[in-house]
Amino acid sequence: MRSYAVPLALAADLLCVLAFVVIGRADHGTGTALAGIAGTAWPFAAALVLGWLVTQAWRLPDRIWPTGVFVWAVTVAGAMALRLATGENAPLSFVVVTSVFLAATMLGWRAGLLLARRTRQRTG
């Protein structure tokens, strides 16, 4: 694995979380000011870091299974727990949208990378 693979993988997961937060805040008209984004994003970012630690994602950061699936699951569950613990809400519709968006993006970039590697192996 190349030395830059782990930081890039962590950055890709963080970008998925930030995209979710920015899109959600813009869609709900709550603004895209940096402080607001940070306030909304921190439970997700903290849970993402926890997911990376629990799964030791740095070992195989670009794998869909088990790394991606477990990092995604810990991110969603941890973020919801942190939101509830800090007095925010987490209605079922929010949990579903969060889960689907983060699965599509966090597993999606890994799937795209896997597809690119397989295509390169066949053609190269």
Side-chain angles (χ1 to χ4, degrees), residues 90-109:
L92 180 59
S93 59
F94 179 71
V95 175
V96 169
V97 169
T98 302
S99 299
V100 170
F101 184 93
L102 291 180
T105 56
M106 293 173 75
L107 303 179
W109 75 257

Side-chain angles (χ1 to χ4, degrees), residues 104-117:
T105 56
M106 293 173 75
L107 303 179
W109 75 257
R110 289 173 169 92
L113 187 59
L114 176 64
L115 181 62
R117 284 183 180 147

